């Protein structure tokens, strides 16, 4: 029986590319989304059309009850869990920190950091050999912003991703002897709609010249690294934070 994988924020961008690649690698894919049901269902339809198994499940990753329901549904409908990709994330609008609202700061940290921590905890409860689970792999999607700092754009977002890096390091140590590998991918500028959502449709064109490779990544280039980390080829990779950022 194929293992299932949960991809949070799988309705578009990096998450959708990861969901599609996971299906190609033989996972039954739970495509989580927050609000874009049509987009998530389109990813599921693509996977099914290619002969794979997939299911779209709405859940807000900042909500613990939603996360329990997400994991329960994935396991019941798709079979034993093998991997969890904590990809769903947001930025607020581009602004200096002193011009960012308390509400935007709280929401960004709630979704990106608290949401990742809650999903990691649920994944451990279901995967860890300590609880009779089969073991598995967790990949957290961080950001190059965690080491650059996000000045003049989104320091709160960068800090939330710094938290994701620390969470990854700590959890990899905590469950390293329980059959679970925990790693992070730190994408650089990637060609998705996140920039438009942040109110900066010109951001990619503006930023590309600052990148050694002079271009943004495609979502598929990030997905390749994420899915490699779930694979047996990465069987001794644990606690790693893999920069996929074109040298930036
Ligand atoms: P995107 O195109 O904006 O997609 C974001 C995804 O996250 C969507 O599927 C969205 O679902 C989902 N999402 C948002 N809030 C959620 C919540 N509360 N609960 C569940 N799902 C939620 O973003 P992306 O560019 O692909 O980014 C994916 C990840 O990579 C994020 O963690 C981001 O921080 C990180 N990253 C991106 C870049 C980049 O340049 N694009 C660079 C570094 C890191 P709905 O569509 O249903 O709202």
């Amino acid at each position: 029986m194929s293992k299932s994988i949960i991809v949070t924020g799988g309705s578009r961008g990096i998450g959708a590319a990861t969901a599609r690649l996971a299906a190609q690698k033989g996972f039954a894919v739970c495509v989580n989304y927050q609000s874009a049901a049509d987009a998530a269902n389109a990813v599921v339809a693509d996977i099914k059309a290619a002969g794979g198994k997939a299911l779209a499940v709405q859940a807000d990753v900042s909500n613990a009850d939603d996360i329990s329901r997400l994991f329960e549904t994935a396991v019941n409908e798709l079979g034993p869990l093998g991997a969890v990709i904590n990809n769903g994330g947001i930025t607020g609008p581009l602004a200096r920190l002193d011009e960012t609202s308390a509400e935007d700061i709280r929401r960004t940290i709630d979704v990106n950091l608290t949401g990742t921590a809650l999903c990691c905890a649920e994944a451990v409860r279901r995967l860890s050999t300590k609880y009779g689970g089969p073991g598995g792999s967790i990949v957290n999607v961080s950001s190059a912003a965690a080491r650059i700092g996000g000045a003049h754009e989104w320091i709160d977002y960068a800090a939330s991703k710094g938290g994701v890096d620390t969470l990854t390091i700590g959890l990899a140590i905590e469950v390293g002897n329980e059959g679970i590998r925990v790693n992070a991918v730190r994408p650089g500028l990637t060609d998705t709609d996140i920039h438009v959502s942040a109110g900066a449709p010109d951001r990619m064109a503006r930023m590309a010249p600052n990148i050694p490779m002079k271009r943004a990544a495609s979502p598929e280039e990030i997905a390749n690294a994420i899915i490699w980390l779930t694979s047996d080829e990465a069987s001794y990779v644990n606690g790693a934070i893999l920069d996929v950022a074109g040298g930036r």
Side-chain angles (χ1 to χ4, degrees):
M1 184 191 241
S2 64
K3 291 272 178 72
S4 64
I5 186 170
I6 296 172
V7 181
T8 70
S11 55
R12 69 183 205 186
I14 293 168
T18 302
R20 289 191 175 96
L21 183 60
Q24 286 170 27
K25 299 293 181 185
F27 282 107
V29 188
C30 178
V31 180
N32 159 251
Y33 65 97
Q34 180 189 219
S35 55
D38 288 352
N41 285 326
V43 174
V44 167
D46 284 352
I47 290 172
K48 286 184 171 170
K53 201 171 164 190
L55 171 76
V57 179
Q58 190 284 331
D60 179 341
V61 294
S62 69
N63 180 307
D65 292 338
D66 278 17
I67 292 168
S68 298
R69 179 176 47 76
L70 168 66
F71 277 68
E72 194 68 24
T73 309
V75 172
N76 287 345
E77 302 287 327
L78 298 174
L81 194 59
V84 175
I85 313 301
N86 292 313
N87 164 80
I90 56 167
T91 72
L94 260 67
R96 290 167 51 101
L97 186 65
D98 53 320
E99 293 167 352
T100 304
S101 72
E103 193 187 335
D104 280 341
I105 292 171
R106 283 207 184 88
R107 183 66 186 155
T108 297
I109 292 178
D110 222 21
V111 173
N112 296 359
L113 180 53
T114 309
T116 300
L118 292 172
C119 286
C120 280
E122 187 68 30
V124 168
R125 286 191 284 270
R126 288 173 180 275
L127 293 174
S128 171
T129 54
K130 178 177 185 232
Y131 302 115
S137 172
I138 298 171
V139 181
N140 296 326
V141 180
S142 174
S143 170
R147 58 182 163 73
I148 293 167
H152 309 292
E153 290 199 318
W154 39 42
I155 292 174
D156 55 329
Y157 167 78
S160 74
K161 296 297 189 175
V164 168
D165 288 358
T166 306
L167 177 68
T168 303
I169 293 165
L171 191 61
I173 296 167
E174 194 160 278
V175 300
N177 194 30
E178 298 175 17
I180 306 175
R181 294 183 298 103
V182 187
N183 294 290
V185 166
R186 216 156 40 183
L189 187 72
T190 307
D191 185 359
T192 74
D193 289 336
I194 201 170
H195 315 286
V196 174
S197 296
D202 64 333
R203 186 169 181 267
M204 278 205 309
R206 188 162 43 76
M207 301 279 291
N210 303 327
I211 296 166
M213 291 179 69
K214 306 292 178 202
R215 67 171 178 86
S218 69
E220 290 74 19
E221 288 175 305
I222 309 301
N224 282 334
I226 293 171
I227 293 301
W228 175 74
L229 282 168
T230 69
S231 75
D232 287 344
E233 291 174 3
S235 57
Y236 199 59
V237 183
N238 187 36
I241 299 172
L242 178 56
D243 282 303
V244 187
R248 184 162 176 246

